[in-house]
Amino acid sequence: MKRTFLSLFLLYGLISLMIPKAAAAQGTCATAWSDSMVYTAGMTASQSGENYVANWWTQNQSPATNSGGAGSGQPWTATGACSTCTAVPSVPTGLNASGTTDSSTNLSWTAVAPPSGCSVSYKVLKSGASIATTTTTSDAVTGLSPSTAYSFTVEATDTAGTSAPSSAVSVTTLASSCTTVPSAPTGLKATGTTDSTTNLSWTAVTPLSGCSISYSISGGPSTLTTTTASDTVSSLTPSTSYTFTVVAKDHAGTSPGSSVTVTTSAPSSLIVGGWFEEWSIYYAGYNISNMQANGVADKLTHLFYAFSALTAPTSATAACVLADPYADYQKTSVPQVTGPYSGAGGVYGNFAAIQQLKGAHPNLKTLISIGGANAPNTAAFVSAASTAAGRTALAHSCINMFIQGNLASGITAPGLFDGINIDWEFPAATDKTNFTALLTEFRNQLTTLTATTGKKYLLTFDAPAGLSDANNPGGYDTIDIPATFAQSDFVTIDGYNYAGDWELATNDASPLYDAPASPLYGTGLTIDATVQAYLATGVPASKYTMGFPAYGAGWTGNLTSSNCGEYQNATAVSPVPNANGVGSCSTGNNQSSPAAGCDVMLTSGLATYGTIQNLLHNGYSACYDSTRAATSAFNSSTHTVFSYDDATSIAAKVTYIKSHGLGGGYVWAVKDDDANGTLVKALATGLNP
């Protein structure tokens, strides 16, 4: 359903062009700030190792205590750390090695005199690759292999740059006294198994003379290595059987393995997701705070933020960019969730409200969705994913911006998002291998970050609900389902748009099951057909997350009450109704200058659930088809029908989710629900009673 909002999304995104951007960070310090000097807009100064740019006329206002991001009202904006160090240090000399054993050696060298204003550190390199950084003139290198030749060099570095490598010193480690392969571990057992983890333990193997023992655990998402006789395996899939094998290793070789089979439990809670569109704060007037006020935030497990855009690819690379910086972090008048805005890190707008929401709901996971139904974004995905360099650059950019929180120069929001949703709509057959490789690159970089922070980061993607065809080159047949699911924590798969404004034949837009009476019978355009197609590939059912629409698809003209207006030929898609359910919007499908009071989707052929509820009080009657688990609303006077989800159809779909072991569901989009959040609450109550 993302396509429908594109013009509105782009319109309001233009607002961000009028917001002044902070200057780029500089490595060299500007002239030191003076309390007697007059500064005008654009002039720079430095203070305490930070560069600043003046936003307007200012005097005797210290940048260190009077700076902030765009919209903060401060006279200064920080543009980055700086240094008075301008000279690269000289090359280290006197490198030598001593005390070499079968697994280690001690390196030392002569200290380099620091250039003026600089402090020097050293990088130790093994065969040209950096292995350590130190501020002293020695380093103990460990973890070497016996009877092996190594070449070491040292570089000196300061903020101005890095010297050339020193002359190399060659080291050959001693032979190992370990000559016997260890015995197999015994007593392997699993305890405390949950839906995502298990604890493995075994009897320690006694090391033989001259040997040291390590253990390798295989059978999980990755191979683990430990020197103790226990370890916890995490990131497992719920309701899945795993066989773990543990082997002991020493220098002489690897033992036979011991194995144990474990079945993870069902999910402790199912996913209840909601999509928030950044542009919903404009015409719809729907903010993050609405979810707190109506209780929806209490029900969600995951909140998706739509969208991040991508830059046009250059030399097969692309990067994440903020689609609307004004809505994202600059708008200071966004309603509060709890407490006053602190403006911490220069962040206001939707992102500040998300931070507040997470403070009030510490178990809520937030994900940035990258892409959407936007032709330039799709082109950027295609190009960037086609090369290893492009995939690496894109993943690094998105993770740096949204996971590490480096939103703009001087603007930071660490911890804002807990994961990434890739919304490439949709990879074609020629992109199949590259799409898998792109997800793999994102997963690898997130895993690397986890090793530093200790925090688990989520990776998901939005997957197609149907097969590819001449009009839609991307379908579930054009992606490697098992390989892409393997890289993902879960996958969002739309459960809607099976019928819509591209045709005038009325039908259920979000049917769970097929029915012989439907003109589309046997074409696979049902949720059940989509689920079965995915599960037939052998992917874990718990990674399949079903989409629910908070809007209806509508048609009008030449329709009768037979089958509540469904399975007939309309003369047109429905006009945009007024949100109060009385009459039609006077400007119709005119997103550039809409009249007040229209349905907030502002799109012919569609209406939000909130508006449909008002239509039911103004001439429309609801019909529920238990065969298809689908609901319709028909008006016999205007000959108009809307196909939509309500609490009854949601209950049937929730039963299906649980009986098939699926991972949960999500709603597109929270602004389109009624004011009480009825659909989200119905989904949550069913999934996690």
Side-chain angles (χ1 to χ4, degrees):
M1 195 53 230
K2 290 89 175 176
R3 295 176 179 81
T4 307
F5 310 104
L6 191 53
S7 58
L8 186 63
F9 165 69
L10 293 176
L11 167 67
Y12 290 122
L14 292 175
I15 294 173
S16 66
L17 298 178
M18 299 184 292
I19 306 301
K21 304 294 189 294
Q26 301 294 322
T28 303
C29 287
T31 302
W33 174 77
S34 169
D35 60 3
S36 62
M37 183 172 177
V38 172
Y39 296 87
T40 58
M43 294 181 67
T44 59
S46 65
Q47 188 177 22
S48 302
E50 184 82 20
N51 275 333
Y52 298 88
V53 61
N55 295 321
W56 50 73
W57 189 99
T58 179
Q59 183 181 24
N60 196 28
Q61 290 180 297
S62 167
T65 55
N66 294 276
S67 69
S72 66
Q74 295 291 347
W76 294 95
T77 295
T79 59
C82 65
S83 172
T84 58
C85 176
T86 59
V88 176
S90 58
V91 177
T93 59
L95 178 62
N96 68 82
S98 61
T100 302
T101 68
D102 62 351
S103 62
S104 66
T105 192
N106 298 312
L107 302 177
S108 61
W109 54 92
T110 303
V112 172
S116 176
C118 304
S119 59
V120 172
S121 62
Y122 303 93
K123 291 194 290 185
V124 179
L125 299 91
K126 182 176 68 177
S127 300
S130 178
I131 59 171
T133 299
T134 179
T135 57
T136 67
T137 57
S138 63
D139 188 55
V141 181
T142 60
L144 305 179
S145 298
S147 304
T148 303
Y150 294 93
S151 176
F152 297 98
T153 54
V154 177
E155 298 172 345
T157 184
D158 59 24
T159 56
T162 301
S163 74
S166 69
S167 298
V169 62
S170 296
V171 173
T172 299
T173 52
L174 303 179
S176 174
S177 59
C178 179
T179 58
T180 305
V181 175
S183 58
T186 59
L188 177 62
K189 62 181 181 179
T191 58
T193 303
T194 69
D195 60 350
S196 61
T197 65
T198 191
N199 302 313
L200 301 179
S201 62
W202 54 92
T203 302
V205 174
T206 302
L208 299 171
S209 177
C211 300
S212 59
I213 299 291
S214 65
Y215 303 94
S216 178
I217 306 168
S218 59
S222 60
T223 299
L224 305 179
T225 300
T226 179
T227 56
T228 64
S230 64
D231 205 353
T232 297
V233 185
S234 57
S235 300
L236 304 180
T237 300
S239 305
T240 302
S241 179
Y242 294 89
T243 298
F244 298 103
T245 300
V246 178
V247 297
K249 295 182 175 183
D250 62 17
H251 176 69
T254 301
S255 75
S258 297
S259 299
V260 63
T261 298
V262 173
T263 299
T264 51
S265 61
S268 54
S269 65
L270 297 176
I271 291 170
V272 180
W275 288 74
F276 178 89
E277 308 144 319
E278 65 182 359
W279 59 90
S280 67
I281 66 173
Y282 297 121
Y283 183 80
Y286 190 94
N287 294 276
I288 296 291
S289 60
N290 289 77
M291 292 185 286
Q292 176 72 3
N294 67 9
V296 162
D298 293 324
K299 305 298 183 181
L300 293 177
T301 63
H302 295 73
L303 177 65
F304 299 84
Y305 188 87
F307 290 105
S308 161
L310 292 94
T311 57
T314 303
S315 301
T317 63
C320 270
V321 292
L322 298 175
D324 184 353
Y326 180 68
D328 293 337
Y329 77 87
Q330 294 171 344
K331 190 173 188 292
T332 57
S333 59
V334 170
Q336 302 170 16
V337 175
T338 54
Y341 284 129
S342 67
V347 178
Y348 296 86
N350 291 335
F351 287 173
I354 289 175
Q355 289 176 313
Q356 290 180 309
L357 193 72
K358 293 185 70 174
H361 304 274
N363 293 325
L364 177 66
K365 301 299 182 184
T366 54
L367 297 95
I368 181 68
S369 185
I370 300 169
N374 172 298
N377 286 343
T378 299
F381 273 132
V382 170
S383 182
S386 66
T387 67
R391 294 188 293 267
T392 300
L394 179 58
H396 173 76
S397 165
C398 300
I399 291 170
N400 176 65
M401 176 170 283
F402 293 112
I403 303 301
Q404 294 176 291
N406 298 309
L407 301 177
S409 178
I411 308 298
T412 59
L416 176 64
F417 291 108
D418 304 296
I420 289 173
N421 171 269
I422 303 295
D423 193 3
W424 176 350
E425 298 190 20
F426 287 104
T430 52
D431 305 311
K432 188 172 187 176
T433 300
N434 293 341
F435 180 49
T436 302
L438 180 66
L439 287 173
T440 302
E441 181 61 33
F442 268 88
R443 170 53 70 200
N444 289 342
Q445 290 196 29
L446 289 172
T447 300
T448 298
L449 183 60
T450 294
T452 300
T453 65
K455 180 179 178 179
K456 173 73 166 68
Y457 301 102
L458 299 172
L459 179 64
T460 77
F461 72 96
D462 194 64
L467 293 165
S468 61
D469 56 36
N471 298 318
N472 178 27
Y476 55 68
D477 54 323
T478 62
I479 63 174
D480 186 337
I481 295 175
T484 53
F485 268 61
Q487 300 302 323
S488 307
D489 292 280
F490 60 89
V491 180
T492 56
I493 304 170
D494 296 351
Y496 36 85
N497 294 352
Y498 290 98
D501 60 2
W502 52 91
E503 57 192 3
L504 294 179
T506 65
N507 213 312
D508 297 306
S510 182
L512 181 57
Y513 295 112
D514 212 343
S518 168
L520 297 176
Y521 181 68
T523 60
L525 294 176
T526 67
I527 295 172
D528 177 60
T530 303
V531 171
Q532 297 305 327
Y534 276 88
L535 298 190
T537 67
V539 296
S542 60
K543 289 191 176 184
Y544 190 113
T545 310
M546 182 188 297
F548 290 76
Y551 61 90
W555 300 265
T556 191
N558 199 36
L559 302 177
T560 71
S561 59
S562 175
N563 203 50
C564 207
E566 298 283 35
Y567 310 155
Q568 302 177 45
N569 290 319
T571 59
V573 297
S574 61
V576 176
N578 285 321
N580 64 6
V582 180
S584 298
C585 176
S586 61
T587 51
N589 185 12
N590 184 359
Q591 296 182 348
S592 62
S593 57
C598 301
D599 179 82
V600 297
M601 295 181 78
L602 295 169
T603 304
S604 297
L606 297 172
T608 65
Y609 177 77
T611 293
I612 290 174
Q613 291 306 294
N614 290 329
L615 291 175
L616 292 174
H617 296 290
N618 290 280
Y620 283 77
S621 299
C623 306
Y624 177 68
D625 184 345
S626 59
T627 300
R628 309 200 72 189
T631 305
S632 300
F634 181 69
N635 187 311
S636 58
S637 298
T638 62
H639 310 285
T640 303
V641 65
F642 283 95
S643 171
Y644 65 102
D645 259 341
D646 63 4
T648 304
S649 62
I650 286 176
K653 292 176 181 179
V654 164
T655 298
Y656 181 97
I657 288 172
K658 289 186 170 182
S659 65
H660 287 75
L662 306 186
Y666 63 90
V667 172
W668 178 281
V670 290
K671 86 172 192 315
D672 302 326
D673 204 345
D674 65 16
N676 293 322
T678 296
L679 295 184
V680 173
K681 292 176 181 177
L683 179 62
T685 299
L687 292 176
N688 299 316

